[in-house]
Amino acid sequence: MIKRGSILVLVLFCFTPLAVNGQFFGKKKKRKTEKVELSSDSVSIDITNLVFKNINGDPVYYDKKLQSKIEELDKTQKWEELYPLLTEYVSNFGTQNFAHQTYYLWRLAKLTEIFGSPAQAKPLYALVLKHHRKGLNISEVLARYDSLDGNKKQYFVPLDYYYDLVEFRRQVDTLIPPRGVLTTMGPMVNSDHEDYAPMVSKGDSLLIFTSKRNSVNTGINKYINEDIFITSLQNNNWGKAEMFERINSRYNEGSGYLTRSGTELFFSRCESPEGFGNCDLYYSQLQGDTLWTEPENLGETVNSDGWDSHPTLNVTEDTLYFSSDRRGGFGLADIYYSVKRGKGKWSKAMNLGPIVNTRLNEVSPFFHPQHNVLYFSSNGHLLNFGDYDIYKSYKIEGAWSEPVNIGPLVNGKGTEFYFSIDNKSEYIYYARSEEESMKNLDLYSFPLPMEGQPLATTRFTGKIQTLTGKIPQNAVVSIIDLDEGVEVAPKFAREDGTFEFDLINNRNYLLIVQGDDIFRLEKLFFLDGDMEYTGIVERVASTIEFASLEFKNGSAEILPEMHTDLQKVIDFLIDHPTFNLNISGHTDSSGNALLNLKLSQQRADAIKRYISNTGNIEESRIFAIGYGSEKPIVKEEKTDEDRKLNRRVEFEIYRDPPKKEDLSSTGNY
């Protein structure tokens, strides 16, 4: 298994990057959406302007004359002269320069803020953090990056809190409950052993995956056997998984990738004597209903003397992406690619570069079947919810964007690997473990959340504040997709009240803001390009009055104009199940005091019934008390305005129940 720290380097030479004994675990020998073209203008992500043209050239770039000039300008602080020379030098970095000359990246990032923009500098700071080894004050770099980054882990609502919000949401018709996340594929697919590397093909009707279920325990030793299995969709359910007979051998096979037609298979075979390294990539073609050609090694232009696995093809199926721990990379395992030439031959494998790859592990790439988006698993990128997380990166005009974590509705505290999506981007298939370990991997499938959607590239930003400009604390911002019901992970508003979400354009959404000290804010909106929104929230005071709660003379009937304000109270009680409500009714001093007392109690009771029935709120949480004219605001009523002030209904929202002696004998508790 993968360890952190210095042991990690030792493990790299003993095992593959993903665990123990087998192909990925084996010892080394010695909504239906139209396809759209993404451009840098349509994707709200970070793309550096630098082109690293020497990544697949010399691993170390060195120009003595240029470096001396750079050091001289740096020492004399001639920043304007330094900036273009440093840009030129860094653009020629080889893979090893990123490890040993990250100071140059750090200096270039700071100068880019001055002579370029903070947005251009941000991905350069990210490069420093992803590739540094030693010799830098990394806390200073991290602080600078954090000042520019708005997607910190602490802004995402924890999963258990998310599920609480989901339960509250079920009680309100306007808020659509989610379709479910973190759902396993069940016993027809999963086994008691590790199951992983799922991939759907042939109109999303076939699924292949890797399993250790054929491993044999001899009593003393356990013989690990990894094979490829296949299952088909039958009446909207996946059938019983069967062996991929013509491909599996006495060696370890796995990490299969079927082309969209289902007629070509790429996979990894390990510990075969004909291989170039521990694990190699192979190819087989369907000849009939079930007859596959003898697997063919893709050759040394693709494979290495190390570990090569996890193949995937791009949209046009002419570029092969895979993971390898071969020498000369950025870290322990990197993502590489090879381009298909004539007669089915593949070009020499090339490193994908420092934007996607880090000093740690990048594995299990998956290229979306319809869009230029690469998904992969990593433990080396900056926003991380557990051990290995799933990320996505956009290919824009030949350059790769800064990878985006696809969020906590997919990435948990444990390990997530082998991510794949169906053609319509409706469902996710991947392997995960509840622990930070590769043990007990199971296959999961559920609707793909918004953060993982390839077309979630339109930015919705906002800010919330009160009428007086104060920022509510710990406010939770949720977005509901009203058209397709795609789940969006809620976030906490930042300290300055701002928030941001990347959403699918041209859809109807509902914005919801909730907090302990504010009434719920709801806003319907149609997303048509990047949008900014400012929301005004009402604070929940200890005692609240609503101007709308004006009863007709002598009546306790709830009027339609009262509904909006009463709904605010209902929403607050739904969102905060530990809070209670005290309703107190008051009249003016005109008329009979006993009749006034009775009328005020009837009005308080009517409001209690309305809140309880409309919001399905337990009656035990609501206390209704009529005081008549006993507690006037204006002691001596002289005008109609005085009497109007005294005719009121007050709400008190609190956690602790009121004392019995504070309640009238006619109250309910």
Side-chain angles (χ1 to χ4, degrees):
M1 62 180 286
I2 292 180
K3 303 285 186 183
R4 286 193 171 94
S6 59
I7 293 235
L8 188 58
V9 178
L10 297 176
V11 171
L12 177 63
F13 290 98
C14 299
F15 303 105
T16 66
L18 296 185
V20 290
N21 296 331
Q23 172 197 346
F24 320 95
F25 307 94
K27 284 187 177 179
K28 292 189 175 182
K29 65 180 181 179
K30 336 183 206 171
R31 156 185 180 159
K32 300 186 182 179
T33 330
E34 291 185 6
K35 181 179 176 182
V36 299
E37 290 299 323
L38 302 176
S39 69
S40 57
D41 293 331
S42 69
V43 181
S44 299
I45 37 99
D46 300 316
I47 302 177
T48 179
N49 293 330
L50 283 181
V51 177
F52 299 106
K53 53 194 174 187
N54 195 38
I55 291 305
N56 290 286
D58 292 332
V60 178
Y61 169 72
Y62 179 65
D63 183 323
K64 183 177 180 180
K65 183 178 179 180
L66 182 56
Q67 187 169 331
S68 296
K69 184 65 175 176
I70 286 172
E71 291 174 357
E72 176 191 338
L73 294 173
D74 191 24
K75 187 179 296 184
T76 56
Q77 299 185 6
K78 295 181 179 179
W79 310 130
E80 195 166 358
E81 294 180 51
L82 174 61
Y83 182 52
L85 295 182
L86 194 56
T87 301
E88 178 187 347
Y89 193 88
V90 170
S91 296
N92 284 288
F93 267 15
T95 54
Q96 296 306 302
N97 293 91
F98 285 86
H100 302 295
Q101 289 190 311
T102 42
Y103 171 80
Y104 282 7
L105 279 172
W106 164 230
R107 176 60 71 198
L108 180 59
K110 292 200 289 186
L111 291 177
T112 301
E113 275 203 79
I114 299 170
F115 299 108
S117 69
Q120 291 173 318
K122 183 182 170 186
L124 295 175
Y125 287 121
L127 281 173
V128 178
L129 295 170
K130 292 187 292 188
H131 292 283
H132 76 92
R133 295 296 201 280
K134 58 183 179 180
L136 273 182
N137 182 356
I138 207 63
S139 59
E140 184 182 353
V141 185
L142 186 59
R144 193 73 206 106
Y145 177 79
D146 280 347
S147 71
L148 302 175
D149 181 43
N151 278 319
K152 299 180 180 66
K153 181 178 177 179
Q154 64 263 33
Y155 294 138
F156 288 87
V157 171
L159 199 58
D160 55 351
Y161 192 2
Y162 163 81
Y163 277 118
D164 287 342
L165 292 175
V166 167
E167 288 305 312
F168 305 156
R169 192 185 303 174
R170 293 181 192 278
Q171 301 180 58
V172 185
D173 292 338
T174 57
L175 306 186
I176 302 172
R179 294 177 290 172
V181 298
L182 303 185
T183 305
T184 73
M185 295 194 71
M188 295 292 282
V189 176
N190 288 310
S191 69
D192 293 336
H193 295 76
E194 284 85 355
D195 302 290
Y196 41 92
M199 188 266 167
V200 287
S201 179
K202 206 169 182 180
D204 304 325
S205 63
L206 288 179
L207 181 137
I208 62 172
F209 64 96
T210 309
S211 178
K212 285 185 173 183
R213 65 189 67 188
N214 288 336
S215 299
V216 177
N217 194 337
T218 62
I220 300 175
N221 298 312
K222 185 174 182 179
Y223 173 70
I224 301 299
N225 184 15
E226 293 173 295
D227 289 321
I228 298 176
F229 283 74
I230 187 168
T231 178
S232 60
L233 200 59
Q234 303 166 6
N235 299 320
N236 293 321
N237 292 305
W238 291 103
K240 184 175 177 57
E242 305 288 349
M243 285 268 287
F244 206 129
E245 294 290 352
R246 300 285 298 185
I247 300 301
N248 294 318
S249 70
R250 62 190 182 92
Y251 306 111
N252 286 313
E253 286 82 24
S255 200
Y257 181 91
L258 276 172
T259 56
R260 285 193 291 280
S261 64
T263 59
E264 296 175 87
L265 174 70
F266 295 81
F267 67 98
S268 185
R269 175 175 285 172
C270 290
E271 299 177 337
S272 171
E274 67 181 28
F276 295 94
N278 172 45
C279 296
D280 281 9
L281 295 174
Y282 284 74
Y283 168 82
S284 180
Q285 190 169 15
L286 182 64
Q287 297 295 296
D289 289 340
T290 58
L291 181 63
W292 289 81
T293 61
E294 184 67 23
E296 175 186 347
N297 191 300
L298 287 185
E300 56 186 342
T301 58
V302 174
N303 293 306
S304 68
D305 60 357
W307 170 87
D308 300 289
S309 190
H310 305 170
T312 185
L313 293 174
N314 67 340
V315 175
T316 52
E317 297 189 334
D318 58 6
T319 304
L320 177 71
Y321 294 85
F322 61 97
S323 188
S324 175
D325 69 356
R326 64 188 62 194
R327 292 185 294 271
F330 290 95
L332 303 177
D334 283 0
I335 295 174
Y336 289 78
Y337 69 97
S338 175
V339 179
K340 193 173 186 179
R341 304 302 187 194
K343 299 181 180 180
K345 300 298 182 183
W346 293 90
S347 69
K348 181 181 178 181
M350 310 284 275
N351 193 292
L352 198 58
I355 305 297
V356 170
N357 292 317
T358 71
R359 68 183 185 280
L360 295 179
N361 290 291
E362 280 68 49
V363 293
S364 61
F366 173 79
F367 211 103
H368 193 282
Q370 299 292 333
H371 306 288
N372 282 326
V373 187
L374 179 71
Y375 298 84
F376 62 94
S377 182
S378 173
N379 65 346
H381 282 274
L382 304 182
L383 177 59
N384 192 281
F385 293 96
D387 186 14
Y388 282 76
D389 277 10
I390 308 295
Y391 298 81
K392 64 178 180 180
S393 180
Y394 291 83
K395 191 175 185 182
I396 307 296
E397 298 170 1
W400 291 99
S401 72
E402 180 65 21
V404 177
N405 190 301
I406 68 171
L409 299 189
V410 173
N411 294 315
K413 295 179 181 178
T415 296
E416 284 77 30
F417 277 113
Y418 307 107
F419 176 95
S420 65
I421 305 172
D422 61 16
N423 274 284
K424 299 175 184 176
S425 303
E426 290 183 342
Y427 283 87
I428 172 179
Y429 300 85
Y430 77 131
R432 73 184 299 268
S433 168
E434 295 288 349
E435 309 164 356
E436 288 194 10
S437 140
M438 292 306 299
K439 295 180 180 178
N440 304 318
L441 278 175
D442 272 341
L443 297 180
Y444 285 70
S445 178
F446 49 87
L448 178 63
M450 185 65 69
E451 293 76 16
Q453 290 281 340
L455 297 182
T457 57
T458 303
R459 182 146 295 176
F460 177 73
T461 58
K463 182 176 182 177
I464 53 170
Q465 60 187 33
T466 65
L467 278 171
T468 59
K470 292 186 177 181
I471 306 301
Q473 299 301 304
N474 300 319
V476 175
V477 183
S478 301
I479 301 287
I480 309 299
D481 178 348
L482 297 176
D483 288 344
E484 298 293 336
V486 174
E487 203 63 24
V488 185
K491 296 179 180 179
F492 292 108
R494 304 179 188 119
E495 293 79 3
D496 61 357
T498 61
F499 56 85
E500 65 182 40
F501 293 86
D502 289 335
L503 306 173
I504 297 174
N505 200 29
N506 295 323
R507 283 190 184 178
N508 292 289
Y509 294 93
L510 174 64
L511 166 73
I512 307 158
V513 182
Q514 300 157 278
D516 284 350
D517 61 344
I518 58 174
F519 285 113
R520 179 196 290 167
L521 169 68
E522 295 186 14
K523 174 68 176 179
L524 289 166
F525 66 95
F526 177 77
L527 189 64
D528 185 13
D530 290 348
M531 183 181 294
E532 294 184 14
Y533 168 77
T534 299
I536 303 299
V537 294
E538 292 183 64
R539 299 197 65 176
V540 178
S542 57
T543 302
I544 310 154
E545 291 182 47
F546 293 112
S548 69
L549 297 188
E550 278 272 339
F551 288 89
K552 289 183 179 179
N553 188 33
S555 171
E557 179 186 356
I558 301 295
L559 301 174
E561 51 264 34
M562 301 178 181
H563 292 177
T564 299
D565 283 332
L566 290 177
Q567 188 62 45
K568 294 177 184 176
V569 179
I570 292 170
D571 289 341
F572 189 89
L573 293 174
I574 290 173
D575 295 340
H576 303 84
T578 61
F579 279 75
N580 296 323
L581 174 67
N582 188 27
I583 306 167
S584 59
H586 304 268
T587 67
D588 58 34
S589 61
S590 60
N592 184 284
L594 288 177
L595 291 178
N596 284 341
L597 182 64
K598 180 179 179 182
L599 179 61
S600 66
Q601 184 63 51
Q602 289 173 342
R603 289 173 172 175
D605 287 340
I607 292 174
K608 174 179 177 176
R609 284 193 300 272
Y610 180 88
I611 291 175
S612 178
N613 294 337
T614 304
N616 195 24
I617 309 294
E618 293 179 10
E619 287 194 9
S620 60
R621 294 176 59 195
I622 307 172
F623 303 87
I625 308 149
Y627 288 104
S629 57
E630 293 176 9
K631 294 186 176 184
I633 294 176
V634 181
K635 301 293 184 182
E636 296 184 14
E637 298 172 353
K638 295 181 180 180
T639 66
D640 287 342
E641 188 62 32
D642 293 339
R643 284 184 283 274
K644 185 176 180 181
L645 284 173
N646 285 338
R647 295 194 303 269
R648 68 196 187 278
V649 176
E650 293 179 342
F651 295 88
E652 182 186 1
I653 295 174
Y654 55 88
R655 278 195 170 98
D656 297 322
K659 296 178 182 178
K660 288 186 180 181
E661 56 264 34
D662 292 338
L663 303 177
S664 72
S665 59
T666 56
N668 300 306
Y669 59 89

